[in-house]
Structure formats: structure tokens, C-alpha cells
Amino acid sequence: MHRLLRSLQASLVIAAIVVLSAPQLQADDVEDFVVARMQEQHLPGVAFAVLRRGEVLRSEALGFASLELRAPVSSGTIFQIGSLTKQFTARAVLLLADEGKLRLTDPIRKFVPDVPVSWNRITLYHLLTHTSGVPNWVGMEEFSFHSDYTSRQFLAIFADKPLDFAPGERFKYSSAGYSLLTFAIEKASGMPFSDFLRVRLFEPAGMHATSVNDSETVLAGRAEGYVVRNGAIYNGVNLRPRITAPSGAVLSTIDDLARWESVLLAGKDLLPESRALVVRPVKLNGGNTFHYGLGWYLRDAAKSDIVYHTGTTSAGFRSAYFRDLPSGITVIFLCNASGDGVEPLPIAESVARMYIERFQPVSQ
């Protein structure tokens, strides 16, 4: 395995490079930086894109989508994007709200009648902003990514657990809370969650390689996932309960996510108030705010000038989406590794800073 790593680090290949950046920024500066991080973090393959106000400045693919097959990453390689999925789920809820099919203030009980009495005050907005108090599945013995669950079985796991806090009292990240949004989306739309995303979000955006993950489906161009432990690379296990889809099961490519960035910036699919909610810090019961909007973290609750999110899957993938609003620079970063030392967000932010410096006005 260590021999394979040394071979990988010595022979990282560029599968596809498109550089449209300004001449003042040396292309090799960015490439060399990313390759160095790949070597440090033992990343088999990555794909990333740099955009400015929706225009692609750079799209690049490096390394291997499959170590065993020595298959290179390309701009069309399909990655699991993990919790970057949450922005799509939030968008789906907002679309339905704009159409009058649900309200963010609706209690989850409206869509799932058999929830515990302690859930009565939990609204869709609480779930979207991680302020519901519904416990997450991390460390929960009853929940396994190696099993699948019916809706009733999934609810049973969480229904007998006390809430971590009263709804709206504070922020605590809960992918399980996002999974509950499946019930609202499906009941309000009359469509399965995966179909709704495909018909209402992916197809209109031209994201034809993007879908909700089904680990049993043979999918051309799908990257293999790997887990880094103690400096060695191991195969990830490509299993995930389908009930968890709204929290982290979307598959996509760097090309498709670049198309999605243009949709987000245009914002034509949502009413102005809904668009504003996406990057508005959540207000807690006591009046304080927390730096999370709807499917996005905010760098500062006082000013929403930087929005970002990361994603991780147990199958061996990590991702980062970083947007600097003042400069208009966005960096999307995908890799097929998770585990020890794999940190995509600092890479994405550093690449963004390289481009932000280029577009900053020169002091007189």
C-alpha cells in the first residue's frame, strides 16, 4: 500500500485542465498548490472549478478516479458530494414554499403524523437550519450506514430519543433532521424525493450527470471512494441508507456543479424573499443569531459575505463549496477520499484567495 502511495504521488497525472484565468495569475501556482495538498493528504483524485460571478475561470481534474484501474479523473467523473446535498434539499423546500404547497413554519407533524409529542413545535425551518433539537445519528448504535431502513424504521430510531434541546433554542448540526424533510417534500409535491430533484432542479440546470445515489446501480464514470487511515489508503464501502438522501446522497461532477453555481447566482427559480433566506443567519429563540442559513454556513453571522459548506461520506468522499460574495469568486472542490487529515475546505479557500487577490483593486 505504501508503495502504491509513493507511486501515486510520483505520477499524479493531469486528466483535464482548462485555464481561462488572467495572465497575472500563474496557472502553475494553483496547480502546484493543489498537487502538494493531494500528496500531503493522500488524495487519490480531485476535481475543482474556480468561477467568478458564474463564469468558469478554471476547471481542473487531477489524479485517479480508481487506483486499481489507474483510471484518471476527468471533468465528467462522478463523485459523492455528501452534505453539499443539503443545499439542493433546501432549494426543493423553498420551491414548494414559493408555490404555496407548504410553509417553512409548518410543523413536521403535518407531514409525519406519528411523531412524538416532543416534536410538536419542530417546524420545517428548524430542520433546515439545524435548530430542531433532533439528535444526529453520529455515535448512535441503532443506526448503521451498512443497512437500509423503511420510513417507519428510520423514524422509530429517533422517535424514542429525547430532543437535544427545545426547537429554536440553539444550533446543532443534524443530518437526521434534514432526512426528515423527505416526508415534507414528497407529500407536498406528490413525487419521490429523487424524482423531484431531477425534474425541478437537475434537468432545468442542465445537470444531466447529477442524481441521487443508489449504490446498487452501475453508473458509468463513477469514482471509487477511499478512506485514509494512518497514512494508508483503503477502499471505502459504497453503502448508504436511501432514507438519508436529503442529507448527503447526491452524486455530481465538477462540470454539473459549475452549472449549478450559475443557477444559484441567477436565482430565477425563487422569489426574492426565498433567495434572501438562503444566506440569512438563523435567529434563535433568545434573539441571537447563528452563522447558518438554509443549507449553507456563513463565515460571519453579522455579514453574509462568505458562504460555504463541506461534505463527507462514509464511502470515502469529501467536498467543499466556497463562495466569496464581494469578489464573486467561487471554488468547488471534490475528492475521492475521506478520513485522517483529509480537509478540502482549506484547499478550496486557499485557491479562492489566489484568485481574489488578482481581482482586488490596486491601492493608489
Side-chain angles (χ1 to χ4, degrees), residues 22 82 108 116 119 127 139 154 168 174 183 208 256 292 309 318 339 352:
I108 188 60
W119 290 22
L127 296 171
F154 181 76
S174 175
F183 303 104
H208 302 302
D256 273 9
Y292 197 88
H309 216 289
R318 291 215 65 186

Side-chain angles (χ1 to χ4, degrees), residues 8 13 84 138 152 203 240 246-247 254 270 272 290 319 326-327 350:
L8 169 63
V13 297
L84 297 192
V138 176
R152 185 177 297 276
E203 289 182 352
R240 190 177 184 95
S247 68
I254 201 65
L270 295 178
F290 188 84
S319 57
S327 69
S350 295

Side-chain angles (χ1 to χ4, degrees), residues 34-95:
V34 173
V35 169
R37 302 294 83 71
M38 291 175 69
Q39 293 172 344
E40 289 174 1
Q41 299 185 21
H42 308 302
L43 309 182
V46 308
F48 69 94
V50 183
L51 302 95
R52 185 174 189 241
R53 309 198 194 287
E55 177 189 357
V56 177
L57 301 179
R58 180 187 189 110
S59 179
E60 188 161 342
L62 299 162
F64 296 101
S66 170
L67 290 176
E68 285 110 333
L69 299 178
R70 312 297 283 180
V73 176
S74 75
S75 62
T77 295
I78 297 171
F79 291 80
Q80 293 185 24
I81 68 171
S83 286
L84 297 192
T85 297
K86 290 181 171 67
Q87 63 182 289
F88 296 108
T89 301
R91 204 77 172 189
V93 173
L94 289 172
L95 283 172

Side-chain angles (χ1 to χ4, degrees), residues 293-333:
L294 303 185
W296 292 97
Y297 278 101
L298 315 173
R299 181 55 57 88
D300 189 334
K303 54 178 182 177
S304 304
D305 57 347
I306 293 176
V307 297
Y308 67 96
H309 216 289
T310 60
T312 306
T313 78
S314 59
F317 292 86
R318 291 215 65 186
S319 57
Y321 204 128
F322 179 91
R323 182 188 297 112
D324 178 84
L325 296 180
S327 69
I329 294 293
T330 293
V331 175
I332 308 166
F333 187 93

